[in-house]
Amino acid sequence: MRRSLLIFLFSAVVLLTFALHSVSTLIALLFEDASRDAIPRSEIPAPNSSLVDTRPQLIPKIIHQTYKNATIPQQWRAAQKSCVDLHPDYEYILWTDASSKEFIAKEYPWFLSTFTGYKHNIQRADAIRYFVLAHYGGVYIDLDDGCERKLDPLLSYTAFVRRTVPTGISNDLMGSIPQHPFFLRVMESLQGADRSWVLPYITIMASTGPLFLSVIWKKWLGEHANLDPETWVGRVRVLMPSEYSKHAWSFIKEYKGDSWHGGDARLIFWMGKNWALLTALGFLLAGVVGLAVWWVYSRLLTLGSRKRGAAGASPRMSPFRFVGIPRWMGGGKAQSYELVEQHDA
Ligand SMILES: *[C@@H]1O[C@H](CO)[C@@H](O)[C@H](O)[C@H]1NC(C)=O
Ligand SMILES: *[C@@H]1O[C@H](CO)[C@@H](O)[C@H](O)[C@H]1NC(C)=O
């Protein structure tokens, strides 16, 4: 067989194996419905209920948000105010670029070079939220998410994230006690995930964003599948969509506008909320590009062999030629040329 074809096939197999291996968790993620850890509505008092939640509150009463500096743009002030006003008994911390960097430098110096080395600001905004949750505990809320009702019932768990449809979890609303093993794991996984995936969107999602978090989460579930959920300290509860937003029992009120206009941050929040769809589209695009490259390459090979055939020994006729099986699928003349070449040699 021609050496270039061999090399191409070999790299294709290596790439495919690598892709399948890395995609196996993603595929498993598609079938993970989180039902084992879902927070049942029966554990959450009705929105205006006077029922006293007697469960102990484990997560500290701290709300964390992030923005590049302390000047919150007009379009998110209402959302921010709704959370602050509803939680007068909570501490409120806004993490700015400056205070985030200072915090990492002081508490987690081993991560500083990765943190400052990120190409996109959103990667720093993603990373800092895992660190502050693992460090101080509390609840992280995206700046465009307003609060519809008090977060208190969610403080009874040791950690929670929110489910996204059709798959995975998001990092726009998360809560944790300090030193929760899942968030420690997330923190420790950031350096290994700091890779470039060519497309900035995929890079952000896979290195620090919801795709990164979902993959770690799925692995975390797999590694602890045989533990009793009732006693497992590393358990991460999952807030389901109907308790997240747009429903009577929901905690969050989304303040969204036209996501494609009005600034980077808005687009980034929007991407984070629709990450699964966008990631699927990204993979689809990558698949189409791969196939196109394969097709062009096989055309070039065919053309090349036709030229040689015309110049050298006469090619043998192949029956496949007349049924029109593309040569790169195994039909056609590639085999005949191998024989011709062997004779030439
Ligand atoms: C709860 O009370 C507030 C104000 O008292 C009201 O606006 C809201 O609609 C009520 N929510 C539900 C689900 O009844
Ligand atoms: C924050 O950034 C905005 C836009 O980049 C700028 O207009 C504003 O002055 C900054 N605020 C502070 C306190 O630096």
Side-chain angles (χ1 to χ4, degrees):
M1 211 188 276
R2 192 162 297 148
R3 190 189 292 164
S4 54
L5 183 60
L6 259 182
I7 292 175
F8 182 69
L9 283 180
F10 179 74
S11 6
V13 166
V14 169
L15 269 180
L16 208 68
T17 314
F18 176 73
L20 275 180
H21 177 75
S22 41
V23 158
S24 63
T25 307
L26 285 185
I27 293 171
L29 195 58
L30 284 178
F31 296 97
E32 175 58 62
D33 65 1
S35 54
R36 209 173 83 125
D37 299 314
I39 297 176
R41 180 168 289 189
S42 58
E43 289 185 5
I44 302 175
N48 288 336
S49 156
S50 58
L51 183 73
V52 178
D53 193 343
T54 53
R55 295 177 297 169
Q57 293 181 330
L58 307 172
I59 297 179
K61 291 187 168 179
I62 309 174
I63 291 174
H64 302 276
Q65 296 199 298
T66 61
Y67 192 64
K68 65 178 167 189
N69 64 26
T71 315
I72 308 258
Q74 193 58 45
Q75 71 257 34
W76 294 312
R77 295 218 183 122
Q80 181 204 28
K81 188 171 181 314
S82 70
C83 288
V84 171
D85 289 355
L86 206 51
H87 300 94
D89 51 336
Y90 283 46
E91 186 183 350
Y92 177 87
I93 309 180
L94 179 72
W95 293 93
T96 63
D97 285 358
S99 66
S100 301
K101 189 177 164 188
E102 198 180 310
F103 166 75
I104 295 289
K106 175 158 179 275
E107 304 287 350
Y108 301 94
W110 55 268
F111 188 68
L112 187 62
S113 63
T114 310
F115 189 72
T116 51
Y118 282 133
K119 257 169 75 183
H120 309 278
N121 284 328
I122 182 66
Q123 292 174 297
R124 274 180 284 277
D126 277 334
I128 191 68
R129 53 187 91 165
Y130 308 131
F131 277 89
V132 298
L133 282 183
H135 192 88
Y136 297 103
V139 179
Y140 168 84
I141 310 175
D142 259 7
L143 206 50
D144 64 336
D145 281 341
C147 296
E148 185 75 10
R149 56 179 295 193
K150 279 202 86 165
L151 297 164
D152 290 10
L154 300 177
L155 305 184
S156 309
Y157 307 103
T158 52
F160 69 88
V161 290
R162 96 168 166 93
R163 173 114 178 97
T164 46
V165 176
T167 183
I169 55 174
S170 183
N171 64 358
D172 57 1
L173 173 68
M174 306 180 283
S176 170
I177 56 169
Q179 306 284 317
H180 189 278
F182 174 70
F183 282 100
L184 293 178
R185 166 70 169 274
V186 170
M187 258 168 58
E188 286 155 9
S189 306
L190 280 165
Q191 278 181 326
D194 181 20
R195 269 174 298 184
S196 173
W197 293 87
V198 187
L199 298 179
Y201 173 76
I202 299 279
T203 301
I204 294 168
M205 287 296 135
S207 64
T208 56
L211 177 59
F212 159 77
L213 188 68
S214 296
V215 166
I216 307 274
W217 172 70
K218 182 61 198 158
K219 287 183 180 158
W220 184 252
L221 293 183
E223 288 163 12
H224 301 93
N226 46 18
L227 294 183
D228 176 6
E230 295 308 321
T231 55
W232 176 31
V233 289
R235 191 178 186 194
V236 180
R237 304 302 298 264
V238 180
L239 191 69
M240 299 310 260
S242 56
E243 282 78 39
Y244 169 65
S245 89
K246 301 194 190 95
H247 294 81
W249 289 59
S250 299
F251 287 91
I252 295 297
K253 178 172 192 263
E254 290 172 56
Y255 285 70
K256 286 201 281 196
D258 184 353
S259 313
W260 295 97
H261 302 100
D264 274 5
R266 180 169 288 206
L267 174 63
I268 283 160
F269 288 144
W270 183 83
M271 294 196 311
K273 293 191 198 310
N274 296 279
W275 73 270
L277 177 71
L278 290 167
T279 303
L281 285 179
F283 275 102
L284 199 67
L285 184 70
V288 168
V289 169
L291 272 182
V293 169
W294 180 286
W295 185 80
V296 167
Y297 190 86
S298 66
R299 296 302 292 174
L300 289 179
L301 268 189
T302 313
L303 280 180
S305 49
R306 206 176 271 160
K307 253 186 205 150
R308 282 212 216 168
S314 69
R316 282 167 212 194
M317 276 299 178
S318 156
F320 292 118
R321 224 184 136 172
F322 300 105
V323 279
I325 293 179
R327 291 185 182 85
W328 56 268
M329 283 180 71
K333 286 195 274 184
Q335 291 91 333
S336 333
Y337 282 121
E338 274 165 45
L339 294 178
V340 171
E341 280 181 339
Q342 278 163 11
H343 291 168
D344 289 347

